[in-house]
Amino acid sequence: MYKVAVMGDYDSIYGFGALGLSVFAETDPEHASQTLKQIAHSGYGIIYITEELAAKIRPAIGEFKDMPLPSIILIPGVKGNTGDGIKGVKGSVEQAVGSDILFGSQK
């Protein structure tokens, strides 16, 4: 069975530990990039990353874009939602189904 991890600033992710997820409090982009690479190759199937941290480590995340696992999902942090997470999900669905999922609705 695959494990699930959450990366981001401590205030945004500490509660996920109570749910049984592995938490990795990271704020330094260089260290966060190394941590992402380590956990991605350690049996984690899903890695949630706060949008704020993801913006700082885009090249590291990009290395896993075309790989089936791990699935990297952006989530909002305590500072709010930047919209990057929903854009990523929307793009993935469009790629999978070949259509804009918001077609006909207001964007």
Side-chain angles (χ1 to χ4, degrees):
M1 181 183 299
Y2 292 104
K3 301 180 276 185
V4 179
V6 183
M7 291 179 62
D9 62 280
Y10 179 80
D11 290 337
S12 295
I13 67 167
Y14 73 91
F16 289 98
L19 300 174
L21 281 64
S22 301
V23 293
F24 298 88
E26 297 286 349
T27 54
D28 176 64
E30 186 174 322
H31 192 262
S33 294
Q34 292 172 353
T35 299
L36 174 60
K37 291 173 187 178
Q38 289 173 345
I39 64 176
H41 297 293
S42 300
Y44 285 87
I46 300 173
I47 302 172
Y48 293 102
I49 304 176
T50 60
E51 293 171 331
E52 182 179 5
L53 179 61
K56 297 176 183 175
I57 62 168
R58 287 200 195 283
I61 292 171
E63 293 180 27
F64 301 98
K65 182 180 179 187
D66 296 326
M67 297 177 67
L69 290 177
S71 178
I72 298 176
I73 302 168
L74 306 187
I75 59 173
V78 294
K79 294 182 180 177
N81 184 348
T82 66
D84 287 344
I86 194 69
K87 287 176 191 171
V89 171
K90 181 178 179 289
S92 294
V93 171
E94 286 176 5
Q95 183 179 7
V97 300
S99 178
D100 183 347
I101 61 174
L102 295 178
F103 181 74
S105 65
Q106 290 185 349
K107 295 182 182 179

